[in-house]
Amino acid sequence: MLQGFKDFISRGNAIELAVGVVIGAAFGAVVQSLVDGFIGPLISAILGQTDLSAVWTFTINNAVFSLGLILQALILFLFTAAAVYFFIVVPMNAMAARRKRGEEAEPEAPSEDILVLQEIRDLLARNLTPAIVNDAGTGAGSVPTTPPPSIPPAV
């Protein structure tokens, strides 16, 4: 059971998700402070109010409606989405494209020892010995055999 948990935790997806949540929370706090400390007061100053939540408020039957709060939440959402896209998604897509270009490299030529082994395999396949023929179950007389070049033929 502990091995299964260890495998789950060490998988890349779980770790990436945890890192994404932590970074997202920290990044959300930065964007929130940017909107609350700069963007909101700037819009409030332009519209002549002290706070963005006081912009475009009206009251009906003692119920206060604040379109400024909706505007503030919308601005926060747009800034967060733009920041995540430009600072996280675009660089990750560029990195994935670079990584993908590297994966499509041409296969390397086989090394010298692999070539020698392939040659030996091909020679053995061409020169069937009686033992191989008997093991294959075809009988000794059905396939003509030639002895390997290093062994002189028996007279």
Side-chain angles (χ1 to χ4, degrees):
M1 184 158 89
L2 290 176
Q3 182 63 33
F5 181 71
K6 180 183 172 188
D7 292 341
F8 169 74
I9 292 298
S10 64
R11 279 196 336 214
N13 294 342
I15 293 171
E16 288 174 6
L17 180 63
V19 168
V21 168
V22 170
I23 294 295
F27 193 71
V30 169
V31 173
Q32 177 75 39
S33 65
L34 176 69
V35 169
D36 290 344
F38 182 71
I39 305 295
L42 182 64
I43 293 173
S44 298
I46 291 171
L47 296 176
Q49 298 290 335
T50 58
D51 186 15
L52 192 58
S53 62
V55 173
W56 296 319
T57 60
F58 57 92
T59 305
I60 300 175
N61 291 335
N62 293 329
V64 178
F65 294 90
S66 175
L67 296 177
L69 274 175
I70 298 170
L71 179 64
Q72 182 176 358
L74 183 62
I75 291 171
L76 178 64
F77 171 74
L78 290 176
F79 271 80
T80 303
V84 166
Y85 179 75
F86 288 112
F87 294 118
I88 296 174
V89 173
V90 170
M92 291 299 287
N93 287 344
M95 186 173 64
R98 271 188 262 132
R99 199 177 288 156
K100 187 176 181 180
R101 276 184 273 152
E103 288 177 354
E104 297 175 7
E106 291 186 26
E108 295 180 16
S111 63
E112 184 66 29
D113 56 343
I114 298 296
L115 292 174
V116 169
L117 288 172
Q118 287 174 346
E119 186 178 338
I120 292 170
R121 179 200 61 204
D122 294 342
L123 285 172
L124 288 174
R126 267 190 279 140
N127 298 324
L128 293 176
T129 63
I132 294 175
V133 172
N134 286 335
D135 287 344
T138 58
S142 64
V143 177
T145 61
T146 58
S150 60
I151 300 175
V155 187

